[in-house]
Amino acid sequence: MTTYKTRAEVPLHEKWDLTDLYSEQSKWDEDYLEIEKIANDLKGFDGEIHDGQSLYHYLKQREELSFLFNKLYAYAMLYVDEDTRETTAQSLLDRAKQLSVKVSSATSFFMPYLLSLDEDTLKGYISTEERLAYFEEDLFDSFRYKQHVLSKEQEGVLSQLGEALSVPSQTFGMLNNADIKFGEVTGKNGEAVELTRGMYAKLIEDEDREKRKEAYKAYYQPYVQLKNSIASTLSAAIKNNVTLARIRQYPSSLEKALFGDQVPKEVYENLILTTKKNIAPLHLYTQIRKEKLKLDELHQYDLSVPLVGGVKQVISYDEAFDIMCKALAPLGKEYIEILHEFKNGRYIDVRETPGKRSGAYNLGVYGVHPFILLNHQDDLDSLFTLVHECGHGVHSKLSSQHQPQITARYSIFVAEVASTVNEVLLINYLLNNEQDSQVRKHLLNHFIDQFKGTFFTQVMFAEFEQKIHEMAENGQPLNVDVFNQTYETLFREYNGDEIVFDDEVKYGWSRIPHFYRPFYVYKYATGFASAIHLATKILEGDQKTLDAYLKFLKSGSSDYPLELLKKTGVNLTTPTPIENALSRFSELVEEFSKL
């Protein structure tokens, strides 16, 4: 395992090259001043757009500003993430954030102005100014919101309430990230140490059951202690969603959340219904887990420990990169060439160093290229992370290359498709090329657990959100007991009766930050199911699906997400893609049980 004490020690080819954004800081400063100038110019359009020509000039300048601002902000953010302790980088990011407020304020007049026009007037502007054709789809997409937008005065009042409405989410964030102190666990030498989130993630997978149990109890302790406070923040967040949906005249808070992506609520309901109809293989897996761990009683703290021990593969970064290229070969030559460009062009920041931001991500910068942050640990998980983030990276690169700026960014709804297709191709390649039965078992176990976390758990969360929002819409009270009962019932339905329920299980809802971003988690599950469907077809050698998939990667947001997926053969308005994914899960569990 390669560990570096400073960033300077990391070989050059394993660090990203931010000079692709700005060769020197003075150029960043020049763009800063330019953005300020354009923002001031845009402010001058308030009350002055009366024809197609002035509308075009406003939109054109706004797009130019957006291009410069994204580049400027990306540089500051990436620079901070290299070493979060670096004060020069922090001050750049602070300046970029201040600039963002100026930009928002300069352009805030536009949406109410646009929606105050009637459709014929807008069509008239477009017919007299042909350069507006480029913005036409975008303008009419904003127009969809017309029936849900209030008068200028009411919108003004709502925007002033914005900060107050975000309080429940911020309060939970402060409790969860700043105030919560976990209980104590036994350290290496028998001393008591305070549990951290990072330690918990490792301990809950520990082979020693007593360590798992101790960590589990310590982890849930503060959530149980703060149950009433957290219940009141969650209840307030839900009531805010419900109230806003009513004020804006949406049929329900669910439909308000789905409106932007033009997803009918049947897609959401169908996901839950189809999953629950096909839940038996997950119950079987829980049973296998109990038998494999030789337990009389299976508890929640037994659900994350790997079932195959003793497999510790060391996979260096270069080796991981080679494996990735072989595994993704079915996607064709162009795809693999792009991956080599990522490595040779230094788009990837590979190593963990002191102060570097944890985790991994891909950031596409239009007109430049994607940047990928990793904290590579030379193990199997790191190989999966590399393949996952490169999936996002290639999606960003191809969309930027083949789409104009206005449609280059893809929606969150389809974001996980490209990364998960890559993971399915990787697991398939590894299983086909592995003779060692222990390693094969380990790989299957890894993928089944990932499937469970990215698909089943998210569907359970999605159903929990739906149920508690419906209660609020029907005027039922929301409190600890209601949340506990709803969550525990669902946990039992999804995970089966093999589990002995500790008191902590029912408090699972209290630690999920995603619930403060309503109806978001279902996208993980639909993205995952779509990817399983596509990867299976690609591995069967279906050329039509492969061509359609590569076209999808080049499509950005040139159409609504459901339509983009339909063109690849995935129709989420039917149960088929969900059923296909679940039958794949069933096969994995079956194969694992035989091994």
Side-chain angles (χ1 to χ4, degrees), residues 134 137 399 403-410 555-559:
Y134 173 77
E137 266 186 50
S399 283
Q403 293 297 320
Q405 187 180 337
I406 201 165
T407 52
R409 283 179 75 128
Y410 46 82
S555 301
S557 58
S558 57
D559 205 339

Side-chain angles (χ1 to χ4, degrees), residues 7-17 346 348-349:
R7 188 168 172 82
E9 290 176 18
V10 180
L12 194 65
H13 68 277
E14 292 190 352
K15 292 189 280 201
W16 58 29
D17 182 5
R346 291 176 52 205
I348 308 175
D349 206 73

Side-chain angles (χ1 to χ4, degrees), residues 465-516:
E465 281 192 276
Q466 187 187 23
K467 281 189 183 312
I468 56 181
H469 276 83
E470 282 171 1
M471 286 176 193
E473 282 162 348
N474 296 327
Q476 288 167 257
L478 296 178
N479 52 41
V480 173
D481 295 339
V482 171
F483 292 147
N484 281 355
Q485 197 187 343
T486 309
Y487 192 87
E488 187 171 16
T489 304
L490 288 173
F491 196 92
R492 202 177 285 281
E493 285 174 11
Y494 281 80
N495 291 283
D497 293 326
E498 286 293 338
I499 299 171
V500 174
F501 276 56
D502 296 290
D503 197 46
E504 286 84 356
V505 173
K506 62 176 180 269
Y507 292 101
W509 58 269
S510 66
R511 57 184 187 84
I512 309 297
H514 282 94
F515 291 157
Y516 295 83

